Each structure stands twice: as structure tokens, then as C-alpha cells.
């Protein structure tokens, strides 16, 4: 395996020519020693060979350097291995490139870092892929940022996982988009937490 000193000496062009096997064999010290340009140069074929251990040890600058194309190839275990700080370093425009399948690996701590801008740009598939444990990390600021169109498509299992604090932040528009099946899936605590504006906007067909 390359030493840290050797990794530091590599040019971005050399990193870009490394095979998947060579990238996978890098020590965490060698990987962290690479510059942001080096990280961005890791080929699409090689990026998926990074182990969860390697990804758990990279720095925030390295995580922030991952390109949209690279992020699109990470699997659920790889994405879940990123520290909360590193996950938060992924900008919203690149987060949209992450596959729904990879979103299934996110932890509640990672989800808790998502701001309203990021939440507003997530696709229906990405939101739906979050585990019930991960969805518990949605902040009360984040829930109202979910577009009404995405609320309409959320599965009953997703709605059933909303806690009272999260349900209390549903907007009137979001509540009005709920179907009868979605409304019925809400827990008693979540129903009781709905605001008067949200209740007043419920569809008659949903009640």
C-alpha cells in the first residue's frame, strides 16, 4: 500500500488513473493525505471501491470535494459511514445526485443535519427510502419544508413514523394533501398534535 508521503506526492492525474483495487488498498492515512483535487479525481469506476472504514475516516474537506457523479455511486453502507460533519458538508445540489437506495443507509444524526433547503430538494424516492429510525432525525424546521407534492406520495409507513413533534409542524397545505390512508396511518399522538390550521385544511375525502 502507498505510504502517506507517497499519497501526498501523487498528482490529481495520477490519482485519476488509479484502479479500483489500488483505491481500495489505500490506508486511511494515505486517503486523508490527498488534496480535495485528488479526491475529485478518483475515477467513477474506482469510487465505489472505497470501504466504509475509509469513508468514515476522511476529513470534512475530502467529503466536501466528492462530486455529484461520485456521490451517485455510493451505496447505503458507504453513505451511512460518513460522519455527521462530513455528510453535512455535502451541498444540496450534490445531495440530489445520491440514489434513493443509498438514502436508506442514513442515520438519524445525519438526517438531523439536513436544512430546509436540502429537505426541499429531496426527491420523493429519497424521502421514502429513509428508515423509520432515520426519519426520527428530521427537525421540526425540516418537516414544513417538504414540498406538498412529496407529501402526497409518501407511503403510509413513512407517515406512521412521524412523531408528535414532527406532526405538529405540518403546514395546512401539507395536511390538505394527505389521503385518507395517509391520515389513518398517523399515530394518535401525531393526530392530536396537528394544529388547528392543519385540521381545518384536511380534505373531506381524507377524514
Amino acid at each position: 500500500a502507498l505510504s502517506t508521503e507517497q499519497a501526498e506526492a501523487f498528482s490529481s492525474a495520477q490519482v485519476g488513473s488509479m484502479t479500483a483495487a489500488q483505491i481500495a488498498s489505500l490506508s486511511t492515512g494515505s486517503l486523508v493525505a490527498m488534496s480535495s483535487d485528488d479526491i475529485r479525481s478518483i475515477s467513477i469506476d474506482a469510487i465505489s471501491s472505497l470501504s466504509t472504514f475509509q469513508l468514515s475516516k476522511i476529513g470534512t474537506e475530502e467529503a466536501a470535494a466528492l462530486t455529484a457523479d461520485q456521490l451517485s455511486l455510493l451505496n447505503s453502507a458507504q453513505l451511512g459511514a460518513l460522519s455527521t460533519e462530513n455528510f453535512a458538508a455535502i451541498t444540496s445540489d450534490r445531495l440530489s445526485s445520491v440514489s434513493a437506495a443509498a438514502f436508506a443507509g442514513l442515520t438519524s444524526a445525519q438526517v438531523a443535519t439536513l436544512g430546509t433547503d436540502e429537505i426541499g430538494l429531496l426527491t420523493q424516492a429519497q424521502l421514502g427510502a429513509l428508515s423509520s429510525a432515520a426519519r426520527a432525525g428530521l427537525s421540526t424546521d425540516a418537516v414544513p419544508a417538504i414540498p406538498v407534492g412529496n407529501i402526497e406520495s409518501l407511503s403510509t409507513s413513512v407517515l406512521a413514523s412521524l412523531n408528535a413533534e414532527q406532526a405538529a409542524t405540518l403546514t395546512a397545505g401539507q395536511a390538505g394533501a394527505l389521503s385518507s390512508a395517509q391520515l389513518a396511518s398517523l399515530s394518535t399522538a401525531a393526530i392530536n398534535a396537528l394544529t388547528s390550521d392543519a385540521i381545518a385544511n384536511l380534505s373531506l375525502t381524507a377524514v
Side-chain angles (χ1 to χ4, degrees), residues 56 68 107 141 171 186 189 194:
S56 71
T107 65
D141 288 333
T171 66
L186 292 175
L194 293 175

Side-chain angles (χ1 to χ4, degrees), residues 92-184:
S92 55
D93 59 317
R94 289 178 297 132
L95 194 62
S96 62
S97 301
V98 178
S99 71
F103 259 70
L106 290 179
T107 65
S108 60
Q110 289 172 313
V111 170
T113 69
L114 293 173
T116 54
D117 288 343
E118 287 82 10
I119 289 293
L121 291 174
L122 295 184
T123 66
Q124 298 168 357
Q126 288 173 322
L127 281 170
L130 293 173
S131 68
S132 57
R135 285 192 292 270
L138 286 171
S139 70
T140 52
D141 288 333
V143 172
I146 300 174
V148 170
N150 285 354
I151 290 287
E152 292 174 335
S153 66
L154 291 179
S155 68
T156 53
S157 63
V158 172
L159 271 298
S161 69
L162 287 181
N163 58 40
E165 290 76 16
Q166 292 169 327
T169 65
L170 287 171
T171 66
Q174 290 172 323
L178 295 175
S179 67
S180 57
Q182 288 175 315
L183 185 62

